[in-house]
């Protein structure tokens, strides 16, 4: 199991990913925009979100570093835009860690199935540290 870094940007994520890819000599970074995600019948994607980056990942010196733009209307505070991500193949471990860290914290997204994972959720722990959980 590894803990990955997840960084959020305020509309300039593509620029950041391309910059870090150049600095660390990562070829062909994979980038997905919000507009490239499968449509959801209960949610219409705002026009201003379509070209923003939903997810990108670079392997930098053996570590996964993931990137995203914040969704329009979501808060962005420079310096608080990094969270830690648990990506594992053990559903019970994800649930256990999530439930332990949410005690005294704030749930941002309950554990649930998404189009990219059978189980994803996010929270801020009681110390204000952001955590994301993703079933691989």
């Amino acid at each position: 199991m590894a803990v990955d870094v997840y960084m959020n940007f305020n509309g300039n994520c593509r620029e950041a990913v391309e910059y870090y890819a150049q600095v660390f000599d990562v070829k062909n970074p994979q980038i997905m925009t919000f507009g490239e995600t499968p449509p959801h019948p209960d949610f219409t994607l705002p026009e201003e979100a379509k070209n923003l980056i939903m997810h990108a990942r670079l392997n930098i010196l053996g570590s996964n570093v993931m990137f995203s733009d914040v969704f329009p209307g979501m808060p962005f505070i420079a310096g608080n835009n990094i969270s830690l991500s648990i990506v594992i193949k053990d559903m019970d471990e994800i649930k256990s860690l999530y439930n332990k860290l949410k005690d005294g914290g704030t749930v941002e997204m309950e554990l649930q199935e998404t189009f990219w994972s059978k189980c994803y959720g996010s929270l801020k722990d009681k110390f204000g540290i952001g955590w994301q959980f993703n079933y691989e």
Side-chain angles (χ1 to χ4, degrees), residues 1 86 88 90-98 133:
M1 174 173 30
I86 305 293
I88 56 176
D90 185 332
M91 190 78 74
D92 291 333
E93 183 72 5
I94 288 173
K95 290 176 182 177
S96 175
L97 292 169
Y98 181 90
F133 301 84

Side-chain angles (χ1 to χ4, degrees), residues 15 19 32 39 45-46 50 67 97 111 114 131:
E15 178 184 356
Y19 171 76
M32 174 186 262
L45 189 65
K50 290 183 179 178
F67 304 79
L97 292 169
L111 290 174
T114 64
W131 292 89

